[in-house]
Amino acid sequence: MAGCAASIALARKGRRVTLIEREAAPRHKVCGEFLSGEALDDLRLLGIDVASLGAVPIDHVRLSAAKRAAEAPLPFPAASLTRKALDTALIAEAIHAGVRVERGRSVQALSRTESGMWQATLNDGATREAPTVFLATGKHDLRGYARPEDPQRWVAFKMYFRLAPAQAAELAHASELMLYPGGYGGIQPVEGGIANLCSVVQQKYLARAGNRWESFLAKMQQDCPHLAMRLAGAEPLLAKPIAVTHIPYGYIRATTEKGLYCIGDQAAVIPSFTGDGISIALHTARCAVAAYLAAESAPLFQASLRTALLAQMRLAGLAADGLNNSFARAVLPFCLRVWPGVMRVTAKLTRVAQNAGVAPIQLPAEI
Ligand SMILES: Cc1cc2nc3c(=O)[nH]c(=O)nc-3n(C[C@H](O)[C@H](O)[C@H](O)COP(=O)(O)OP(=O)(O)OC[C@H]3O[C@@H](n4cnc5c(N)ncnc54)[C@H](O)[C@@H]3O)c2cc1C
């Protein structure tokens, strides 16, 4: 997401960009696939029309916990689209913009040459050199650039379902969020008439369900009858769920090296429940490109980005922690009143100064 966004913006400014993506083709990723108004704005700027890709408009949110549920309109336009479809469109746009895309090759290491260039060593031993690197490996850390451990040991799952017709009609244009002991989850429609169930849970709670998806799914439904109702008669569409671990929620990178701009989840990891990581990925990419074009050094950029995101990250963290406890589950209707407001505020706070004050400068030829 962030890597494509940055490379498209740079290529459109005439820079020579190579995008190295380890997957040979877009695939399903663990993600709730909720696109906030902010994310939609950024995608539009990149030339991505999510409606033409079949995105489902989302206009309200339902929050449920134990036997309670409440509903509120979303304070901004939103949509839902599979990451596979979105990533496919972004890669196509990058190629169209003139980015040299190398797919199915992963960067194993980043180092400095004697002449001060960055050197990326690929999985087949080949190397690529450039004066500037945008590090956008998402949840996956490069050796030497690892983010801290995730103390809560989150595990996230995603599974697609074909819901029973009556349940699909009920879900329609809603994003439904569930709170349960040790985590939270969301179900929402995506293109193709199917629904995405995405959930995160702390490892210790997963262990209580025998570390098995089937038992965990059953436990979620037991703790959250609303989910049990939605999934009654539903058909799972993947042979097994997609899973990911090591999600250092709340992390913000404070420092970096000269010529190395860290963006997306490599810059900041906002709690999925209250924040919107795709928007942050696109936003940090846009800010990094603006900083680069303005000849702002990477360390200065990273420090300013951290300052700009700090309040939002703290707010999102507090909201996620606040909602994920038994008291919050008990006072759910109040939580629901607060939650869209929190989303609106966090979305607004994501908007840090954009391309303001960019001065014309001499640019290096290759990135
Ligand atoms: C459970 C969960 C639910 C979420 N739900 C939502 C949601 O509903 N809405 C939302 O806005 N955000 C959501 N997010 C957050 C969102 O998914 C991320 O913040 C966003 O994808 C980050 O974008 P990115 O570009 O940093 O990373 P990614 O989109 O993950 O892209 C990283 C890319 O780098 C590639 N890569 C990795 N390592 C290498 C390597 N060594 N060499 C070459 N390529 C490499 C990967 O293949 C991948 O394509 C959720 C996150 C989680 C964990």
Side-chain angles (χ1 to χ4, degrees):
M1 195 62 62
C4 273
S7 62
I8 293 168
L10 289 161
R12 284 184 186 162
K13 288 282 177 190
R15 312 294 163 231
R16 278 204 288 150
V17 191
T18 298
L19 177 71
I20 301 167
E21 165 55 56
R22 69 176 188 174
E23 300 294 339
R27 59 177 180 85
H28 291 305
K29 284 187 175 142
V30 177
C31 186
E33 303 181 326
F34 174 85
L35 296 171
S36 67
E38 300 281 306
L40 293 175
D41 287 346
D42 267 321
L43 288 169
R44 217 169 287 124
L45 286 177
L46 291 169
I48 307 291
D49 171 19
V50 297
S52 71
L53 300 173
V56 178
I58 301 290
D59 52 29
H60 60 286
V61 58
R62 287 189 198 112
L63 192 57
S64 64
K67 293 198 167 95
R68 293 152 178 265
E71 178 176 315
L74 266 179
F76 45 72
S80 168
L81 181 70
T82 58
R83 285 297 303 270
K84 198 172 172 181
L86 192 51
D87 291 353
T88 304
L90 276 165
I91 291 264
E93 192 57 44
I95 293 168
H96 182 246
V99 176
R100 180 164 168 250
V101 180
E102 292 195 37
R103 313 191 67 181
R105 316 187 78 176
S106 68
V107 175
Q108 299 290 296
L110 267 182
S111 56
R112 285 280 201 184
T113 64
E114 277 179 9
S115 59
M117 296 282 272
W118 282 103
Q119 185 176 72
T121 305
L122 309 188
N123 51 330
D124 58 3
T127 56
R128 299 285 176 271
E129 282 187 16
T132 309
V133 170
F134 289 75
L135 183 65
T137 51
K139 296 166 188 69
H140 308 278
D141 292 333
L142 269 194
R143 204 168 353 117
Y145 298 91
R147 298 162 303 166
E149 280 302 305
D150 153 24
Q152 311 235 42
R153 303 192 65 209
W154 291 103
V155 183
F157 294 98
K158 178 171 95 171
M159 172 57 99
Y160 290 115
F161 287 94
R162 188 171 303 284
L163 301 186
Q167 295 304 323
E170 281 283 314
L171 188 61
H173 298 291
S175 179
E176 297 190 334
L177 296 144
M178 286 101 31
L179 307 174
Y180 46 80
Y184 44 82
I187 186 165
Q188 60 178 28
V190 287
E191 76 275 16
I194 63 174
N196 168 355
L197 173 68
C198 186
S199 31
V200 288
V201 63
Q202 287 168 25
Q203 169 63 50
K204 61 183 177 199
Y205 287 87
L206 187 63
R208 285 179 206 163
N211 286 318
R212 288 176 53 86
W213 161 248
E214 293 76 11
S215 319
F216 172 54
L217 183 62
K219 178 90 179 80
M220 273 194 293
Q221 293 181 80
Q222 189 187 334
D223 291 336
C224 194
H226 186 85
L227 180 63
M229 178 183 73
R230 280 287 170 266
L231 294 184
E235 174 200 355
L237 297 176
L238 304 176
K240 56 181 184 160
I242 312 164
V244 71
T245 57
H246 182 56
I247 315 168
Y249 284 136
Y251 166 75
I252 314 185
R253 195 178 290 267
T255 56
T256 184
E257 293 167 46
K258 200 165 157 260
L260 182 69
Y261 296 81
C262 301
I263 53 180
D265 278 0
Q266 286 293 315
V269 186
I270 196 156
S272 325
F273 189 78
T274 39
D276 103 74
I278 291 176
S279 160
I280 292 196
L282 297 171
H283 176 78
T284 53
R286 183 160 37 77
C287 291
V289 169
Y292 165 79
L293 294 175
E296 183 177 271
S297 75
L300 193 58
F301 157 75
Q302 217 70 52
S304 335
L305 185 72
R306 182 174 194 275
T307 308
L309 291 178
L310 208 54
Q312 180 207 356
M313 294 289 286
R314 288 209 174 123
L315 186 63
L318 282 172
D321 290 349
L323 287 178
N324 193 24
N325 66 45
S326 49
F327 174 72
R329 287 193 291 275
V331 294
L332 182 74
F334 171 74
C335 294
L336 188 77
R337 276 213 307 279
V338 173
W339 188 80
V342 170
M343 281 194 90
R344 188 170 44 228
V345 172
T346 54
K348 281 224 159 48
L349 286 170
T350 330
R351 282 264 180 237
V352 286
Q354 296 178 19
N355 300 349
V358 176
I361 33 109
Q362 281 297 103
L363 295 163
E366 187 165 310
I367 301 159

